[in-house]
């Protein structure tokens, strides 16, 4: 048996807010609502109390990337992520050209609520990358 799809799931306090951030970062879209529902709000209202609004999803319109799922959890983020996303904005670029691409993307993401982290400069083995955090503190890299 082979795996056909991968979904990346984010535990978060505000699923819609985090989903909106990542849609803006990646150019993802809101998927169509389930069959039989005109809108996601209609679907949400059909669910029992306590199950309304706890999750959102985003999809890659080109079908090239994984589906992102955002689910509400009661606990806050406590420690560093063990898994993170690399947003590949500098692929194939080196030196000053790569740094300029990383800085330009950082400048685009800061008004969306991202937080700039540490810039790791090229060291002869790895190229430069820039650590970031999303609107709830989840780490990701501009790579």
């Amino acid at each position: 048996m082979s795996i056909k799809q991968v979904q990346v799931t984010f535990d978060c306090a505000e699923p819609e807010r985090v989903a909106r951030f990542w849609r803006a970062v990646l150019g993802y879209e809101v998927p169509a609502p389930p069959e039989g529902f005109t809108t996601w709000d209609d679907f949400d209202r059909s669910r029992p109390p306590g199950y309304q609004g706890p999750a959102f999803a985003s999809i890659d319109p080109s079908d090239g990337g994984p589906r992102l799922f955002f689910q509400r959890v009661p606990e806050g983020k406590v420690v560093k992520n063990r898994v993170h996303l690399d947003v590949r904005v500098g692929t194939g670029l080196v030196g000053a050209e790569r740094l300029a691409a990383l800085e330009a993307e950082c400048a685009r993401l800061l008004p969306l609520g991202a937080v700039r982290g540490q810039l790791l400069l090229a060291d002869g083995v790895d190229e430069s990358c820039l650590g970031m955090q999303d609107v709830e503190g989840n780490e990701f890299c501009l790579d």
Side-chain angles (χ1 to χ4, degrees), residues 59-66:
I59 58 170
D60 180 354
S62 72
D63 282 335

Side-chain angles (χ1 to χ4, degrees), residues 13-30:
E14 298 179 63
E16 184 175 11
R17 179 176 179 234
V18 181
R20 191 172 43 250
F21 172 83
W22 282 104
R23 281 195 302 269
V25 171
L26 300 174
Y28 272 39
E29 299 176 346
V30 176

Side-chain angles (χ1 to χ4, degrees), residues 42-49 51-55:
D42 291 342
F43 172 74
D44 201 36
R45 283 190 291 274
S46 76
R47 302 182 76 193
Y51 290 92
Q52 296 174 349

Side-chain angles (χ1 to χ4, degrees), residues 8 10 16-18 21 24 29 31 40 47 53 55-56 62 69-70 73 79 83 98 107 109 118-119 127 134 142:
V8 178
F10 290 73
E16 184 175 11
R17 179 176 179 234
V18 181
F21 172 83
E29 299 176 346
W40 279 102
R47 302 182 76 193
F56 284 84
S62 72
F69 187 73
F70 307 87
V73 296
V79 297
V83 174
R98 183 179 180 90
L109 300 182
Q118 182 179 5
L119 174 64
E127 264 304 326
D134 74 9
L142 298 180

Side-chain angles (χ1 to χ4, degrees), residues 5 7 32 45 51-52 66 76 85 87 111 117 124 133:
Q5 295 182 343
Q7 172 174 284
R45 283 190 291 274
Y51 290 92
Q52 296 174 349
L85 299 183
V87 179
Q133 292 181 357

Side-chain angles (χ1 to χ4, degrees), residues 7-141:
Q7 172 174 284
V8 178
T9 300
F10 290 73
D11 290 348
C12 48
E14 298 179 63
E16 184 175 11
R17 179 176 179 234
V18 181
R20 191 172 43 250
F21 172 83
W22 282 104
R23 281 195 302 269
V25 171
L26 300 174
Y28 272 39
E29 299 176 346
V30 176
E35 191 171 325
F37 296 93
T38 307
T39 67
W40 279 102
D41 286 339
D42 291 342
F43 172 74
D44 201 36
R45 283 190 291 274
S46 76
R47 302 182 76 193
Y51 290 92
Q52 296 174 349
F56 284 84
S58 298
I59 58 170
D60 180 354
S62 72
D63 282 335
R67 180 178 192 256
L68 303 181
F69 187 73
F70 307 87
Q71 63 187 7
R72 182 175 298 135
V73 296
E75 68 278 359
K77 183 177 178 304
V78 179
V79 297
K80 184 180 184 322
N81 297 6
R82 294 292 304 266
V83 174
H84 68 268
L85 299 183
D86 285 342
V87 179
R88 310 289 316 272
V89 299
T91 302
L93 303 176
V94 297
E97 192 176 17
R98 183 179 180 90
L99 289 173
L102 299 177
E103 293 295 347
E105 185 65 3
C106 178
R108 184 181 80 85
L109 300 182
L110 291 174
L112 299 175
V115 175
R116 181 190 177 103
Q118 182 179 5
L119 174 64
L120 301 172
L121 295 173
D123 60 9
V125 175
D126 294 316
E127 264 304 326
S128 299
C129 67
L130 178 57
M132 303 283 292
Q133 292 181 357
D134 74 9
V135 294
E136 284 200 4
N138 298 301
E139 296 93 3
F140 67 98
C141 288

